[in-house]
Amino acid sequence: MLRMSTLLLRTLRDDPADAEVASHKLLVRAGFIRRVAAGIYSWLPLGYRTYRKIEKIVREEMDKAGFQEVNFPALLPKEPYDATNRWTEYGPDIFRLKDRKQNDYLLGPTHEEMFTLMVKGEFSSYKDLPLSIYQIQTKYRDEPRPRSGIIRGREFVMKDSYSFDIDDAGLEASYQRHRAAYIKTFDRLGIKYNIVSAMSGAMGGSKSEEFLAPCPTGEDTYVLCKACGYAANVEAVVTNVKPYSGTSAPALEILNTPNTPTIDSLVEILNKNYGGGFTAADTLKNVLLMADGKPISVLVPGDREVDVKRLGANLSGVKDLRLFEDEDFAKHPNLVKGYVGPQDAKKFGIKLLADPRITKGSHWVTGANKKDTHARFVTCGRDFEVEQYVEAVEIKAGDACPTCDKPVVIDRAIEIGHIFQLGRKYAKALDLTVLDKNGAAQVVTMGSYGIGVSRAVAVIAEQSHDEIGLCWPAEVAPADVHIVATGKEDSIFEAAEKLANEIEAKGFEVLFDDRRDPSAGVKFKDAELIGIPKIIIVGKALANGKVELRDRKSGAKEEVDLNKVVSLLK
RNA sequence: CGGGGCGUAGCGUAGUGGCUAGCGCGCCUGCUUUGGGAGCAGGAGACCGUGGGUUCGAAUCCCUCCGCCCCGACCA
């Protein structure tokens, strides 16, 4: 039994000055967590109880799925990370340190290498596979900007699993087992979530899905179709384009369009000098970018923006992608800023890419590669050839859903889980092979699966609170029942104590507010702030043999017989 | 890394050159109170982030550094 009279807890009346989001404010005010440094938090007793319950549920579901728990140190030598080049590639996000002999160490930000090496050290036959192992462990990432309290910390607890299979079919099966286990886990945790495609399988990337908990303060945006349930990261949205069905255009015509470096100014002059009815959607925007130092041109409709992040995610092999800057234009005098057209791309030696919306046969108003000049009836497939189609435009609310064509919405969420098919990258780099039936060495294929365990505390708080405090789902609340004794008579406190013991004997966890000094109001406020699902008030009504039973979430109150209240608990 | 804001007691804050740094919450003592963050009286608690400078005098003005928060960039 937890007694408020001795519990290491001091609730706060005011929101902490450094907190912005609800979960952060409430977890601090309710005495669950305290900040130690940016993105680094301590757990107080109530918070740690909730944290441990979440951890327990995660562990139970992993074990049920047949995955084996292991544990790695957080303090790791540099060498394994050198083997995969991540000591360098991970950059400043790694916490690095040296031992007394000046050898390099790091605090593990993620453990692919260690898992791979562990399996390599023990197993060497296809008969040993499939294997899935996991750990629940503290990770360290020196985030450029920790934020939102416990949601994005520099030290956090993650459950990470890895699957090892001999072939792609095995990987797919392991992936599905993890997916199913995650669904059970998050359902038990009482988290609302969507499973979102994170990378397009069609583009040849590895399969990957994120579990996103919708939440207005979330830092991830994703696309959701309320009609059919389709959900995807903006990067992964695949545009469904119908073939061009309009009429074919007359021959390309050069237009005199002085002072029209922007789409708006172009549309204005088109409507003035070349018959009305033009909109930005009739024009073709030629966006120039530098891809690993080489200029490329990406075509999008004039009423659309290029989403560089999304474009980059869909251009496999490109590491560094950025928009053209003035000095790039200076180096490529053929490309006239504001008047670029695709017609001469081949001549200029520029790779021509296009959003799928630029369909074969469609014709556009676009630049004529000469200052103050545009061209119309510029037809795709006739006047220019697209070298490669790529998802490039910024996805907007109202865009057609890829699966059902209804308009989509853009929603915000917090990532609570991520599953993906890693493939053979780490196995290859660390030479993890097993012998197959024929005695030939085969590189193992891996999957990687993560759940933000400490983050889940904040996500549940974020999704489950109201104006007056937290409202924990039963499975993760720091206790099952919060008994509040009010009044000054010893008899009340004695009766409450007796009740607390009875309830505890039935297997419920009890938080007992046995404080004599604070007034009833203070105790009620604290109970509401802490958010234990069932609150029993022992006070005035005791004279009639009754206590009050409250449901924190619904606010429902009822007076019930003291000796019947135990049977009314779930 | 770019932009903005901030740093005064455990928490929230007032104090723009001049007496002993003020208030609320919380904490301690006593009395009264006890179903919605009680009242009265007394008390403890502050290197005003750090270092330097200007000044007769600095929490207050200037500079350095450190730390924190927000937006963006970046990132699972």
Side-chain angles (χ1 to χ4, degrees):
Chain A
M1 190 188 308
L2 294 168
R3 290 169 186 278
M4 290 284 272
S5 59
T6 53
L7 189 63
L8 177 53
L9 170 73
R10 199 97 305 158
T11 58
L12 304 177
R13 233 182 255 221
D14 300 311
D15 286 333
D18 59 3
E20 198 75 14
V21 302
S23 61
H24 188 194
K25 288 178 184 169
L26 289 171
L27 288 170
V28 171
R29 281 188 53 208
F32 280 55
I33 58 170
R34 290 288 181 260
R35 193 183 71 83
V36 173
I40 304 178
Y41 289 82
S42 303
W43 299 100
L44 283 97
L46 288 180
Y48 202 48
R49 288 175 72 90
T50 286
Y51 164 78
R52 284 208 317 271
K53 289 195 173 180
I54 291 171
E55 189 186 278
K56 177 167 172 270
I57 290 172
V58 171
R59 179 174 284 117
E60 281 173 5
E61 292 304 325
M62 293 299 112
D63 291 344
K64 264 193 231 164
F67 311 148
Q68 301 173 50
E69 184 168 11
V70 298
N71 192 254
F72 290 98
L75 178 63
L76 297 165
K78 168 193 182 185
E79 286 68 27
Y81 288 79
D82 249 348
T84 54
N85 207 29
R86 286 213 292 185
W87 176 261
T88 312
E89 275 179 9
Y90 222 95
D93 281 15
I94 292 186
F95 277 105
R96 295 159 205 265
L97 57 164
K98 288 187 187 291
D99 69 3
R100 64 204 302 159
K101 290 184 266 181
Q102 297 304 303
N103 293 320
D104 287 310
Y105 283 80
L106 68 146
L107 296 175
T110 169
H111 282 71
E112 281 82 358
E113 287 83 353
M114 302 309 295
F115 275 90
T116 308
L117 290 169
M118 181 180 268
V119 174
K120 184 182 174 183
E122 311 299 323
F123 279 1
S124 47
S125 161
Y126 75 96
K127 292 179 193 166
D128 297 323
L129 305 184
L131 171 72
S132 284
I133 49 181
Y134 75 96
Q135 66 170 343
I136 296 173
Q137 194 236 20
T138 308
K139 307 288 186 200
Y140 297 86
R141 293 183 193 169
D142 196 356
E143 294 278 348
R145 184 149 89 83
R147 82 190 98 178
S148 307
I150 226 171
I151 291 175
R152 175 166 295 260
R154 295 194 295 170
E155 181 186 287
F156 59 98
V157 176
M158 178 161 129
K159 188 287 302 175
D160 51 328
S161 322
Y162 297 89
S163 66
F164 300 85
D165 284 277
I166 184 98
D167 55 24
D168 293 349
L171 171 56
E172 177 63 23
S174 294
Y175 180 90
Q176 291 303 335
R177 276 167 69 206
H178 274 89
R179 195 177 192 275
Y182 274 35
I183 288 171
K184 279 191 190 153
T185 306
F186 293 127
D187 286 348
R188 270 184 76 186
L189 290 175
I191 295 176
K192 289 194 293 285
Y193 62 93
N194 287 307
I195 303 175
V196 168
S197 321
M199 223 186 271
S200 132
M203 295 304 292
S206 0
K207 185 167 175 183
S208 166
E209 288 167 296
E210 292 174 350
F211 288 72
L212 296 185
C215 161
T217 53
E219 46 183 353
D220 292 330
T221 54
Y222 70 108
V223 173
L224 177 68
C225 174
K226 288 187 172 159
C228 74
Y230 170 87
N233 260 354
V234 285
E235 286 86 352
V237 171
V238 180
T239 307
N240 213 352
V241 183
K242 294 166 196 74
Y244 181 70
S245 57
T247 51
S248 59
L252 183 151
E253 180 192 347
I254 301 291
L255 312 176
N256 181 31
T257 53
N259 299 318
T260 53
T262 64
I263 297 287
D264 286 348
S265 55
L266 173 62
V267 170
E268 196 184 321
I269 225 168
L270 286 172
N271 284 327
K272 208 163 107 192
N273 298 348
Y274 295 96
F278 288 95
T279 69
D282 300 315
T283 69
L284 185 63
K285 200 184 276 187
N286 289 244
V287 179
L288 297 166
L289 302 102
M290 293 298 276
D292 292 335
K294 288 191 199 119
I296 60 169
S297 174
V298 177
L299 303 178
V300 298
D303 60 341
R304 288 285 187 157
E305 298 299 326
V306 166
D307 180 339
V308 177
K309 200 175 164 190
R310 179 162 183 258
L311 174 64
N314 283 291
L315 281 178
S316 52
V318 175
K319 282 198 184 110
D320 181 36
L321 185 69
R322 60 170 177 82
L323 290 167
F324 247 49
E325 289 161 11
D326 284 344
E327 53 188 76
D328 299 314
F329 279 104
K331 281 184 201 147
H332 299 275
N334 285 333
L335 302 169
V336 186
K337 195 176 175 182
Y339 302 92
V340 181
Q343 306 86 306
D344 302 314
K346 206 163 257 175
K347 200 167 82 191
F348 295 160
I350 294 214
K351 186 170 181 186
L352 191 61
L353 296 90
D355 188 81
R357 289 166 178 78
I358 316 303
T359 49
K360 208 171 175 76
S362 60
H363 59 89
W364 308 81
V365 178
T366 189
N369 296 311
K370 200 177 150 199
K371 192 163 170 31
D372 296 337
T373 313
H374 280 84
R376 68 168 154 179
F377 308 129
V378 180
T379 304
C380 178
R382 182 187 75 182
D383 301 315
F384 63 92
E385 289 293 340
V386 173
E387 223 171 301
Q388 181 187 338
Y389 278 103
V390 62
E391 297 290 343
V393 304
E394 187 181 9
I395 298 295
K396 293 189 291 199
D399 282 355
C401 168
T403 60
C404 77
D405 239 26
K406 298 255 168 44
V408 298
V409 298
I410 307 281
D411 204 9
R412 292 183 79 85
I414 301 169
E415 182 186 341
I416 45 167
H418 192 174
I419 52 178
F420 79 103
Q421 302 191 358
L422 264 185
R424 297 185 168 80
K425 177 181 170 183
Y426 290 94
K428 220 177 262 173
L430 299 164
D431 194 30
L432 170 62
T433 60
V434 292
L435 295 179
D436 67 14
K437 280 180 184 142
N438 307 313
Q442 298 286 347
V443 177
V444 167
T445 183
M446 295 167 58
S448 153
Y449 318 89
I451 290 178
V453 181
S454 49
R455 175 180 281 184
V457 178
V459 168
I460 296 169
E462 205 62 52
Q463 286 190 343
S464 190
H465 71 270
D466 56 24
E467 318 74 53
I468 55 176
L470 298 158
C471 310
W472 296 104
E475 279 224 62
V476 301
D480 301 311
V481 185
H482 190 154
I483 298 178
V484 177
T486 70
K488 54 184 171 183
E489 295 87 33
D490 290 344
S491 59
I492 289 176
F493 284 83
E494 282 155 16
E497 172 109 25
K498 189 161 164 269
L499 179 62
N501 282 320
E502 278 170 31
I503 289 172
E504 201 170 55
K506 292 278 179 187
F508 295 101
E509 291 173 356
V510 176
L511 173 60
F512 178 28
D513 197 341
D514 58 342
R515 293 174 296 176
R516 294 288 190 131
D517 276 346
S519 65
V522 170
K523 295 180 185 179
F524 295 156
K525 293 282 186 203
D526 277 347
E528 282 148 1
L529 180 60
I530 292 166
I532 289 169
K534 297 288 178 196
I535 301 168
I536 296 172
I537 318 281
V538 183
K540 269 184 179 170
L542 192 65
N544 310 318
K546 304 236 181 215
V547 294
E548 186 179 315
L549 178 61
R550 294 186 186 178
D551 183 86
R552 171 63 184 89
K553 198 155 212 162
S554 69
K557 307 174 181 184
E558 53 176 333
E559 285 213 335
V560 299
D561 288 341
L562 173 62
N563 47 25
K564 286 197 188 134
V565 67
V566 180
S567 61
L568 291 173
L569 295 169
K570 185 184 67 163

